[in-house]
Amino acid sequence: MKLSDLKSARQVLEEHKQDPEFRAEWDRTAFARDVALRIVRYRSENNLTQSAFARRVGMTQSVIARLESGDQPPSIQTLAKLSKGTGMDFEIKFTHGSVEFVAA
């Protein structure tokens, strides 16, 4: 198989989203993934390890690893700690049983 024959990650994801079970899980974890991406981006931009980031926000490295996995949404208290320790803003909206970030 040639590299040019491989599907992109986006193509594979779109195919998987056709599966109702996958789609339900994808939708369920959307907010947690958004938080995870923001944490990873912040750490990368500030050259921080998980441990250094954890110290900055008053958490443990294992908690940061779990947040970065994007499997479970963080609590409001956790978002407050992240915001206090980093200056990140988290504007969220609760609508019809879903949680999402409000575009800033």
Side-chain angles (χ1 to χ4, degrees):
M1 178 178 274
K2 295 186 278 183
L3 185 60
S4 61
D5 293 336
L6 295 175
K7 295 178 183 177
S8 70
R10 186 175 304 268
Q11 289 170 318
V12 172
L13 177 60
E14 289 306 315
E15 287 177 9
H16 284 316
K17 283 183 178 178
Q18 303 307 311
D19 173 24
E21 275 186 51
F22 180 89
R23 183 59 188 227
E25 183 66 6
W26 182 258
D27 292 345
R28 183 190 71 77
T29 59
F31 179 70
R33 276 193 322 277
D34 286 345
V35 172
L37 289 171
R38 290 186 68 180
I39 292 170
V40 170
R41 186 177 308 117
Y42 182 93
R43 284 198 318 103
S44 174
E45 290 171 354
N46 292 278
N47 297 316
L48 295 171
T49 64
Q50 285 183 342
S51 295
F53 181 82
R55 284 190 298 277
R56 183 172 287 191
V57 297
M59 297 179 188
T60 64
Q61 179 275 327
S62 62
V63 169
I64 301 307
R66 282 195 298 276
L67 288 169
E68 288 185 359
S69 76
D71 290 334
Q72 295 296 321
S75 68
I76 298 297
Q77 184 177 19
T78 297
L79 292 175
K81 276 185 156 183
L82 291 170
S83 180
K84 183 178 180 180
T86 64
M88 285 191 286
D89 291 330
F90 295 96
E91 294 184 35
I92 54 177
K93 178 180 175 183
F94 300 92
T95 308
H96 304 289
S98 67
V99 181
E100 62 186 67
F101 280 116
V102 176

